[in-house]
Amino acid sequence: MGTYGYISIIAMVCYGFMLLMFLTAKRNKIVNSFLVVLVGLLFWAGGSAFMRVHLWPSYEFWYQVSLLGILLLPYAYYCFILAFGGVKKGLPGKIYLAVMLICFVVNIRHGVFLGCPNVVEKNGLPTFVYEIKPTILVLFFPAGIFLIYLFLILVRICKANPNMKVQYEPVMAGVLVLFAGNMLLGIPFFSGFPIDILSGVVNVFFLFYALIRRRLFRLQMLASPSLCYGVGFLFFVIVFLNVIPYTDE
């Protein structure tokens, strides 16, 4: 798996732990939309982690799972930001979701937008390297237009209620970190390093902080001690099983 694989595994465990916590919390529209964001991030990080360990059925399959999570994230953020501001969802969100699902299906069949990565050895370790094609703009262009639309919604919400500007600051900081992490993938220095996954972990903690500032729940009521111990033990087992081969060497 290599050193970089642990980043994806740690991210997956963080998202899974938060998902379990919020499933036991008192539910409302904001919490439900945050769960949608977590599911998208879990698909992304989980697919990346399983792809790096070549889990059954194939790394190509888990690559598609990870890509699906990435493509659905803007819509998940759309649901979260609108629920956070008390705004109803409209037609643009449904159009974006339909376009992304169509692009995803086409990409599975032909790989025209972003094909499966190549496995190469880097410093003696297997590393996934993506071949970035100009056709990837077909995925980025709708996402860019949708994010601009989402930004305009944010401006409208903040103008209507100036107090919301302060509450949205952590959300916007998280989105910027996530966007920057994906942009850095195109820099050769970060080739093979999951900087996008790492930025996703930072991003979700920004969203978590935004929810704390809204005081939507009490942290000590989110999860029972047994749940925390169980997830902690699972995390330990995963890390331990992957460290054994290196300690043997």
Side-chain angles (χ1 to χ4, degrees), residues 40-225:
L41 291 169
L42 191 59
F43 270 51
W44 179 12
S48 177
F50 294 152
M51 178 181 72
R52 291 176 183 276
V53 298
H54 294 268
L55 196 68
W56 184 87
S58 66
Y59 85 88
E60 290 91 350
F61 171 81
W62 292 111
Y63 161 77
Q64 299 296 347
V65 172
S66 181
L67 181 61
L68 178 62
I70 294 173
L71 296 179
L72 294 182
L73 269 181
Y75 180 76
Y77 275 96
Y78 167 78
C79 297
F80 177 76
I81 289 175
L82 265 63
F84 200 77
V87 180
K88 292 183 178 180
K89 290 181 287 187
L91 183 61
K94 297 178 181 178
I95 294 175
Y96 172 81
L97 182 61
V99 169
M100 285 295 101
L101 290 177
I102 292 172
C103 289
F104 175 72
V105 173
V106 171
N107 192 70
I108 288 179
R109 293 177 61 91
H110 308 288
V112 293
F113 305 128
L114 185 62
C116 291
N118 300 314
V119 182
V120 299
E121 283 200 9
K122 187 175 181 181
N123 298 325
L125 296 173
T127 304
F128 291 92
V129 178
Y130 293 86
E131 182 183 354
I132 306 299
K133 305 176 184 177
T135 50
I136 197 175
L137 294 175
V138 176
L139 298 179
F140 275 102
F141 183 73
I145 296 297
F146 190 65
L147 290 175
I148 292 174
Y149 167 72
L150 195 53
F151 176 75
L152 294 177
I153 291 178
L154 278 172
V155 172
R156 191 193 319 156
I157 293 174
C158 293
K159 281 186 177 180
N161 185 0
N163 294 328
M164 290 299 297
K165 182 180 179 181
V166 177
Q167 297 182 13
Y168 269 120
E169 286 177 352
V171 178
M172 293 309 300
V175 172
L176 289 175
V177 169
L178 188 64
F179 181 77
N182 282 270
M183 291 297 100
L184 289 175
L185 282 177
I187 300 177
F189 177 77
F190 292 100
S191 179
F193 181 78
I195 185 66
D196 53 339
I197 299 293
L198 190 60
S199 67
V201 177
V202 177
N203 154 74
V204 80
F205 279 102
F206 271 114
L207 298 186
F208 188 56
Y209 176 66
L211 292 177
I212 292 175
R213 292 180 66 175
R214 286 290 294 268
R215 298 178 181 177
L216 295 172
F217 46 78
R218 295 179 64 188
L219 290 179
Q220 63 267 29
M221 296 301 292
L222 282 177
S224 64

